Amino acid sequence: MFLNPLGLLGILGGIVSAATKPHAPAADGPQFADKLDDARSADVASNLPVHVDASLGLNLTGDQVERLSIAADKAEAAGLRRALVHLDGKAVVLDVKSRTVLRAADREAPLPADVDGVVTAPALGETGQGVMRVPGGLAANTSVNALLERMEQQTSQPAIAA
């Protein structure tokens, strides 16, 4: 089959006009910028599970595992690879990409060298304090560890009603 030039232009004209026709914006629903801001602030829960191997002996409740998932979302939004997560007086090292608890950690010990941030798991229904990122090489610095400990104590103290 052979198309003459005018027939070909007619076909292309229909394609070009359809491709250049302005699209109407969505009347209702969230805007892209709003969704992007939510994702950056980690206000969007992925509802992806966190894996905790029973051999670690952590004995976490279902609520604690759900809060670990929220902490993993916050760590991922901050770009962390490994996070030290504080949860109800416990501390665990979390591989953020695989969403797997690697080991328990001592809250009193210096920050592990393989951790690039600290996250406090918020109570259910709360947004929490966010993420403290630790620049490379500073994880073993005792001054940084002391500062992180003071910040953790300040954020965990209840507000005094006036």
Side-chain angles (χ1 to χ4, degrees):
M1 175 177 151
F2 178 73
L3 290 176
N4 65 31
L6 291 178
L8 185 58
L9 283 176
I11 293 171
L12 288 177
I15 294 171
V16 170
S17 66
T20 58
K21 184 184 273 187
H23 296 282
D28 293 324
Q31 297 296 319
F32 177 77
D34 296 335
K35 288 292 192 186
L36 185 59
D37 288 341
D38 287 346
R40 284 184 178 150
S41 66
D43 287 339
V44 177
S46 69
N47 297 321
L48 295 173
V50 170
H51 305 285
V52 183
D53 193 321
S55 68
L56 295 174
L58 293 173
N59 300 320
L60 299 176
T61 66
D63 285 348
Q64 287 175 320
V65 173
E66 186 176 341
R67 291 170 49 213
L68 269 176
S69 176
I70 295 167
D73 291 338
K74 290 184 174 301
E76 186 173 18
L80 301 181
R81 293 174 304 218
R82 288 232 170 118
L84 179 69
V85 180
H86 290 198
L87 173 72
D88 301 337
K90 301 176 185 179
V92 296
V93 176
L94 175 75
D95 182 279
V96 177
K97 185 175 181 180
S98 68
R99 299 178 76 88
T100 302
V101 173
L102 302 174
R103 63 184 182 274
D106 182 0
R107 286 184 61 143
E108 304 301 320
L111 195 63
D114 62 339
V115 166
D116 55 355
V118 179
V119 181
T120 300
L124 287 177
E126 294 182 8
T127 58
Q129 299 295 322
V131 177
M132 291 183 274
R133 207 169 194 359
V134 180
L138 292 180
N141 185 307
T142 55
S143 297
V144 170
N145 284 306
L147 176 63
L148 289 173
E149 182 64 29
R150 281 196 306 267
M151 291 174 74
E152 175 66 23
Q153 288 171 355
Q154 289 173 351
T155 60
S156 65
Q157 292 177 353
I160 299 173

mmCIF file with all atom_site columns, all heavy atoms in Angstrom, residues 28-45:
data_model
loop_
_atom_site.group_PDB
_atom_site.id
_atom_site.type_symbol
_atom_site.label_atom_id
_atom_site.label_alt_id
_atom_site.label_comp_id
_atom_site.label_asym_id
_atom_site.label_entity_id
_atom_site.label_seq_id
_atom_site.pdbx_PDB_ins_code
_atom_site.Cartn_x
_atom_site.Cartn_y
_atom_site.Cartn_z
_atom_site.occupancy
_atom_site.B_iso_or_equiv
_atom_site.pdbx_formal_charge
_atom_site.auth_seq_id
_atom_site.auth_comp_id
_atom_site.auth_asym_id
_atom_site.auth_atom_id
_atom_site.pdbx_PDB_model_num
ATOM 1   N N   . ASP A 1 28 ? -10.282 17.661 40.904 1.00 0.00 ? 28 ASP A N   1
ATOM 2   C CA  . ASP A 1 28 ? -10.195 17.315 42.314 1.00 0.00 ? 28 ASP A CA  1
ATOM 3   C C   . ASP A 1 28 ? -9.024  16.376 42.511 1.00 0.00 ? 28 ASP A C   1
ATOM 4   O O   . ASP A 1 28 ? -8.589  15.714 41.596 1.00 0.00 ? 28 ASP A O   1
ATOM 5   C CB  . ASP A 1 28 ? -11.479 16.616 42.781 1.00 0.00 ? 28 ASP A CB  1
ATOM 6   C CG  . ASP A 1 28 ? -12.666 17.561 42.750 1.00 0.00 ? 28 ASP A CG  1
ATOM 7   O OD1 . ASP A 1 28 ? -12.470 18.748 43.041 1.00 0.00 ? 28 ASP A OD1 1
ATOM 8   O OD2 . ASP A 1 28 ? -13.776 17.093 42.428 1.00 0.00 ? 28 ASP A OD2 1
ATOM 9   N N   . GLY A 1 29 ? -8.567  16.312 43.711 1.00 0.00 ? 29 GLY A N   1
ATOM 10  C CA  . GLY A 1 29 ? -7.475  15.396 44.010 1.00 0.00 ? 29 GLY A CA  1
ATOM 11  C C   . GLY A 1 29 ? -6.211  16.140 44.353 1.00 0.00 ? 29 GLY A C   1
ATOM 12  O O   . GLY A 1 29 ? -6.083  17.335 44.113 1.00 0.00 ? 29 GLY A O   1
ATOM 13  N N   . PRO A 1 30 ? -5.275  15.422 44.930 1.00 0.00 ? 30 PRO A N   1
ATOM 14  C CA  . PRO A 1 30 ? -4.034  16.055 45.384 1.00 0.00 ? 30 PRO A CA  1
ATOM 15  C C   . PRO A 1 30 ? -3.159  16.482 44.211 1.00 0.00 ? 30 PRO A C   1
ATOM 16  O O   . PRO A 1 30 ? -3.129  15.844 43.167 1.00 0.00 ? 30 PRO A O   1
ATOM 17  C CB  . PRO A 1 30 ? -3.355  14.964 46.203 1.00 0.00 ? 30 PRO A CB  1
ATOM 18  C CG  . PRO A 1 30 ? -3.964  13.692 45.729 1.00 0.00 ? 30 PRO A CG  1
ATOM 19  C CD  . PRO A 1 30 ? -5.331  14.016 45.226 1.00 0.00 ? 30 PRO A CD  1
ATOM 20  N N   . GLN A 1 31 ? -2.512  17.588 44.390 1.00 0.00 ? 31 GLN A N   1
ATOM 21  C CA  . GLN A 1 31 ? -1.573  18.083 43.397 1.00 0.00 ? 31 GLN A CA  1
ATOM 22  C C   . GLN A 1 31 ? -0.222  17.406 43.595 1.00 0.00 ? 31 GLN A C   1
ATOM 23  O O   . GLN A 1 31 ? 0.115   16.977 44.690 1.00 0.00 ? 31 GLN A O   1
ATOM 24  C CB  . GLN A 1 31 ? -1.424  19.603 43.531 1.00 0.00 ? 31 GLN A CB  1
ATOM 25  C CG  . GLN A 1 31 ? -2.720  20.349 43.270 1.00 0.00 ? 31 GLN A CG  1
ATOM 26  C CD  . GLN A 1 31 ? -3.212  20.165 41.843 1.00 0.00 ? 31 GLN A CD  1
ATOM 27  O OE1 . GLN A 1 31 ? -2.427  20.183 40.901 1.00 0.00 ? 31 GLN A OE1 1
ATOM 28  N NE2 . GLN A 1 31 ? -4.508  19.959 41.678 1.00 0.00 ? 31 GLN A NE2 1
ATOM 29  N N   . PHE A 1 32 ? 0.539   17.340 42.521 1.00 0.00 ? 32 PHE A N   1
ATOM 30  C CA  . PHE A 1 32 ? 1.841   16.674 42.568 1.00 0.00 ? 32 PHE A CA  1
ATOM 31  C C   . PHE A 1 32 ? 2.750   17.312 43.609 1.00 0.00 ? 32 PHE A C   1
ATOM 32  O O   . PHE A 1 32 ? 3.413   16.619 44.376 1.00 0.00 ? 32 PHE A O   1
ATOM 33  C CB  . PHE A 1 32 ? 2.502   16.702 41.190 1.00 0.00 ? 32 PHE A CB  1
ATOM 34  C CG  . PHE A 1 32 ? 3.867   16.097 41.186 1.00 0.00 ? 32 PHE A CG  1
ATOM 35  C CD1 . PHE A 1 32 ? 4.027   14.722 41.214 1.00 0.00 ? 32 PHE A CD1 1
ATOM 36  C CD2 . PHE A 1 32 ? 5.004   16.887 41.191 1.00 0.00 ? 32 PHE A CD2 1
ATOM 37  C CE1 . PHE A 1 32 ? 5.282   14.143 41.236 1.00 0.00 ? 32 PHE A CE1 1
ATOM 38  C CE2 . PHE A 1 32 ? 6.263   16.325 41.210 1.00 0.00 ? 32 PHE A CE2 1
ATOM 39  C CZ  . PHE A 1 32 ? 6.407   14.946 41.231 1.00 0.00 ? 32 PHE A CZ  1
ATOM 40  N N   . ALA A 1 33 ? 2.781   18.646 43.649 1.00 0.00 ? 33 ALA A N   1
ATOM 41  C CA  . ALA A 1 33 ? 3.670   19.340 44.597 1.00 0.00 ? 33 ALA A CA  1
ATOM 42  C C   . ALA A 1 33 ? 3.320   18.982 46.038 1.00 0.00 ? 33 ALA A C   1
ATOM 43  O O   . ALA A 1 33 ? 4.212   18.820 46.877 1.00 0.00 ? 33 ALA A O   1
ATOM 44  C CB  . ALA A 1 33 ? 3.577   20.844 44.390 1.00 0.00 ? 33 ALA A CB  1
ATOM 45  N N   . ASP A 1 34 ? 2.015   18.840 46.318 1.00 0.00 ? 34 ASP A N   1
ATOM 46  C CA  . ASP A 1 34 ? 1.600   18.467 47.674 1.00 0.00 ? 34 ASP A CA  1
ATOM 47  C C   . ASP A 1 34 ? 2.081   17.061 48.021 1.00 0.00 ? 34 ASP A C   1
ATOM 48  O O   . ASP A 1 34 ? 2.551   16.800 49.127 1.00 0.00 ? 34 ASP A O   1
ATOM 49  C CB  . ASP A 1 34 ? 0.078   18.536 47.813 1.00 0.00 ? 34 ASP A CB  1
ATOM 50  C CG  . ASP A 1 34 ? -0.453  19.950 47.645 1.00 0.00 ? 34 ASP A CG  1
ATOM 51  O OD1 . ASP A 1 34 ? 0.315   20.905 47.888 1.00 0.00 ? 34 ASP A OD1 1
ATOM 52  O OD2 . ASP A 1 34 ? -1.634  20.081 47.260 1.00 0.00 ? 34 ASP A OD2 1
ATOM 53  N N   . LYS A 1 35 ? 1.927   16.135 47.079 1.00 0.00 ? 35 LYS A N   1
ATOM 54  C CA  . LYS A 1 35 ? 2.375   14.757 47.302 1.00 0.00 ? 35 LYS A CA  1
ATOM 55  C C   . LYS A 1 35 ? 3.890   14.710 47.489 1.00 0.00 ? 35 LYS A C   1
ATOM 56  O O   . LYS A 1 35 ? 4.402   13.966 48.320 1.00 0.00 ? 35 LYS A O   1
ATOM 57  C CB  . LYS A 1 35 ? 1.979   13.855 46.124 1.00 0.00 ? 35 LYS A CB  1
ATOM 58  C CG  . LYS A 1 35 ? 0.519   13.560 46.072 1.00 0.00 ? 35 LYS A CG  1
ATOM 59  C CD  . LYS A 1 35 ? 0.161   12.683 47.241 1.00 0.00 ? 35 LYS A CD  1
ATOM 60  C CE  . LYS A 1 35 ? -1.204  12.098 47.110 1.00 0.00 ? 35 LYS A CE  1
ATOM 61  N NZ  . LYS A 1 35 ? -1.575  11.364 48.315 1.00 0.00 ? 35 LYS A NZ  1
ATOM 62  N N   . LEU A 1 36 ? 4.619   15.491 46.703 1.00 0.00 ? 36 LEU A N   1
ATOM 63  C CA  . LEU A 1 36 ? 6.076   15.518 46.812 1.00 0.00 ? 36 LEU A CA  1
ATOM 64  C C   . LEU A 1 36 ? 6.498   16.061 48.176 1.00 0.00 ? 36 LEU A C   1
ATOM 65  O O   . LEU A 1 36 ? 7.393   15.509 48.819 1.00 0.00 ? 36 LEU A O   1
ATOM 66  C CB  . LEU A 1 36 ? 6.669   16.360 45.689 1.00 0.00 ? 36 LEU A CB  1
ATOM 67  C CG  . LEU A 1 36 ? 8.184   16.407 45.588 1.00 0.00 ? 36 LEU A CG  1
ATOM 68  C CD1 . LEU A 1 36 ? 8.765   15.013 45.384 1.00 0.00 ? 36 LEU A CD1 1
ATOM 69  C CD2 . LEU A 1 36 ? 8.610   17.318 44.456 1.00 0.00 ? 36 LEU A CD2 1
ATOM 70  N N   . ASP A 1 37 ? 5.848   17.108 48.644 1.00 0.00 ? 37 ASP A N   1
ATOM 71  C CA  . ASP A 1 37 ? 6.160   17.657 49.972 1.00 0.00 ? 37 ASP A CA  1
ATOM 72  C C   . ASP A 1 37 ? 5.877   16.632 51.069 1.00 0.00 ? 37 ASP A C   1
ATOM 73  O O   . ASP A 1 37 ? 6.651   16.497 52.015 1.00 0.00 ? 37 ASP A O   1
ATOM 74  C CB  . ASP A 1 37 ? 5.361   18.934 50.240 1.00 0.00 ? 37 ASP A CB  1
ATOM 75  C CG  . ASP A 1 37 ? 5.853   20.115 49.421 1.00 0.00 ? 37 ASP A CG  1
ATOM 76  O OD1 . ASP A 1 37 ? 6.998   20.066 48.933 1.00 0.00 ? 37 ASP A OD1 1
ATOM 77  O OD2 . ASP A 1 37 ? 5.079   21.086 49.276 1.00 0.00 ? 37 ASP A OD2 1
ATOM 78  N N   . ASP A 1 38 ? 4.761   15.910 50.937 1.00 0.00 ? 38 ASP A N   1
ATOM 79  C CA  . ASP A 1 38 ? 4.441   14.874 51.919 1.00 0.00 ? 38 ASP A CA  1
ATOM 80  C C   . ASP A 1 38 ? 5.514   13.798 51.946 1.00 0.00 ? 38 ASP A C   1
ATOM 81  O O   . ASP A 1 38 ? 5.935   13.333 53.009 1.00 0.00 ? 38 ASP A O   1
ATOM 82  C CB  . ASP A 1 38 ? 3.089   14.225 51.603 1.00 0.00 ? 38 ASP A CB  1
ATOM 83  C CG  . ASP A 1 38 ? 1.916   15.140 51.918 1.00 0.00 ? 38 ASP A CG  1
ATOM 84  O OD1 . ASP A 1 38 ? 2.128   16.156 52.619 1.00 0.00 ? 38 ASP A OD1 1
ATOM 85  O OD2 . ASP A 1 38 ? 0.803   14.837 51.451 1.00 0.00 ? 38 ASP A OD2 1
ATOM 86  N N   . ALA A 1 39 ? 5.967   13.376 50.773 1.00 0.00 ? 39 ALA A N   1
ATOM 87  C CA  . ALA A 1 39 ? 6.991   12.328 50.698 1.00 0.00 ? 39 ALA A CA  1
ATOM 88  C C   . ALA A 1 39 ? 8.308   12.806 51.298 1.00 0.00 ? 39 ALA A C   1
ATOM 89  O O   . ALA A 1 39 ? 8.984   12.063 52.005 1.00 0.00 ? 39 ALA A O   1
ATOM 90  C CB  . ALA A 1 39 ? 7.195   11.893 49.255 1.00 0.00 ? 39 ALA A CB  1
ATOM 91  N N   . ARG A 1 40 ? 8.662   14.054 51.029 1.00 0.00 ? 40 ARG A N   1
ATOM 92  C CA  . ARG A 1 40 ? 9.914   14.592 51.572 1.00 0.00 ? 40 ARG A CA  1
ATOM 93  C C   . ARG A 1 40 ? 9.869   14.705 53.089 1.00 0.00 ? 40 ARG A C   1
ATOM 94  O O   . ARG A 1 40 ? 10.881  14.541 53.755 1.00 0.00 ? 40 ARG A O   1
ATOM 95  C CB  . ARG A 1 40 ? 10.207  15.956 50.960 1.00 0.00 ? 40 ARG A CB  1
ATOM 96  C CG  . ARG A 1 40 ? 10.716  15.873 49.555 1.00 0.00 ? 40 ARG A CG  1
ATOM 97  C CD  . ARG A 1 40 ? 11.083  17.227 49.038 1.00 0.00 ? 40 ARG A CD  1
ATOM 98  N NE  . ARG A 1 40 ? 11.617  17.138 47.680 1.00 0.00 ? 40 ARG A NE  1
ATOM 99  C CZ  . ARG A 1 40 ? 11.509  18.081 46.785 1.00 0.00 ? 40 ARG A CZ  1
ATOM 100 N NH1 . ARG A 1 40 ? 10.894  19.209 47.083 1.00 0.00 ? 40 ARG A NH1 1
ATOM 101 N NH2 . ARG A 1 40 ? 12.020  17.919 45.585 1.00 0.00 ? 40 ARG A NH2 1
ATOM 102 N N   . SER A 1 41 ? 8.724   15.012 53.627 1.00 0.00 ? 41 SER A N   1
ATOM 103 C CA  . SER A 1 41 ? 8.618   15.158 55.080 1.00 0.00 ? 41 SER A CA  1
ATOM 104 C C   . SER A 1 41 ? 8.295   13.837 55.760 1.00 0.00 ? 41 SER A C   1
ATOM 105 O O   . SER A 1 41 ? 8.130   13.786 56.968 1.00 0.00 ? 41 SER A O   1
ATOM 106 C CB  . SER A 1 41 ? 7.544   16.184 55.431 1.00 0.00 ? 41 SER A CB  1
ATOM 107 O OG  . SER A 1 41 ? 6.267   15.719 55.047 1.00 0.00 ? 41 SER A OG  1
ATOM 108 N N   . ALA A 1 42 ? 8.220   12.771 54.978 1.00 0.00 ? 42 ALA A N   1
ATOM 109 C CA  . ALA A 1 42 ? 7.950   11.413 55.479 1.00 0.00 ? 42 ALA A CA  1
ATOM 110 C C   . ALA A 1 42 ? 6.585   11.316 56.139 1.00 0.00 ? 42 ALA A C   1
ATOM 111 O O   . ALA A 1 42 ? 6.385   10.552 57.062 1.00 0.00 ? 42 ALA A O   1
ATOM 112 C CB  . ALA A 1 42 ? 9.050   10.946 56.419 1.00 0.00 ? 42 ALA A CB  1
ATOM 113 N N   . ASP A 1 43 ? 5.621   12.123 55.662 1.00 0.00 ? 43 ASP A N   1
ATOM 114 C CA  . ASP A 1 43 ? 4.263   12.040 56.172 1.00 0.00 ? 43 ASP A CA  1
ATOM 115 C C   . ASP A 1 43 ? 3.448   10.982 55.459 1.00 0.00 ? 43 ASP A C   1
ATOM 116 O O   . ASP A 1 43 ? 2.272   10.810 55.747 1.00 0.00 ? 43 ASP A O   1
ATOM 117 C CB  . ASP A 1 43 ? 3.556   13.399 56.047 1.00 0.00 ? 43 ASP A CB  1
ATOM 118 C CG  . ASP A 1 43 ? 4.074   14.405 57.065 1.00 0.00 ? 43 ASP A CG  1
ATOM 119 O OD1 . ASP A 1 43 ? 4.655   13.967 58.073 1.00 0.00 ? 43 ASP A OD1 1
ATOM 120 O OD2 . ASP A 1 43 ? 3.901   15.610 56.848 1.00 0.00 ? 43 ASP A OD2 1
ATOM 121 N N   . VAL A 1 44 ? 4.051   10.306 54.504 1.00 0.00 ? 44 VAL A N   1
ATOM 122 C CA  . VAL A 1 44 ? 3.368   9.251  53.768 1.00 0.00 ? 44 VAL A CA  1
ATOM 123 C C   . VAL A 1 44 ? 3.898   7.914  54.276 1.00 0.00 ? 44 VAL A C   1
ATOM 124 O O   . VAL A 1 44 ? 5.091   7.659  54.237 1.00 0.00 ? 44 VAL A O   1
ATOM 125 C CB  . VAL A 1 44 ? 3.629   9.380  52.251 1.00 0.00 ? 44 VAL A CB  1
ATOM 126 C CG1 . VAL A 1 44 ? 2.990   8.244  51.498 1.00 0.00 ? 44 VAL A CG1 1
ATOM 127 C CG2 . VAL A 1 44 ? 3.131   10.716 51.743 1.00 0.00 ? 44 VAL A CG2 1
ATOM 128 N N   . ALA A 1 45 ? 3.008   7.094  54.778 1.00 0.00 ? 45 ALA A N   1
ATOM 129 C CA  . ALA A 1 45 ? 3.414   5.781  55.287 1.00 0.00 ? 45 ALA A CA  1
ATOM 130 C C   . ALA A 1 45 ? 3.380   4.778  54.144 1.00 0.00 ? 45 ALA A C   1
ATOM 131 O O   . ALA A 1 45 ? 2.413   4.710  53.388 1.00 0.00 ? 45 ALA A O   1
ATOM 132 C CB  . ALA A 1 45 ? 2.489   5.344  56.404 1.00 0.00 ? 45 ALA A CB  1
#
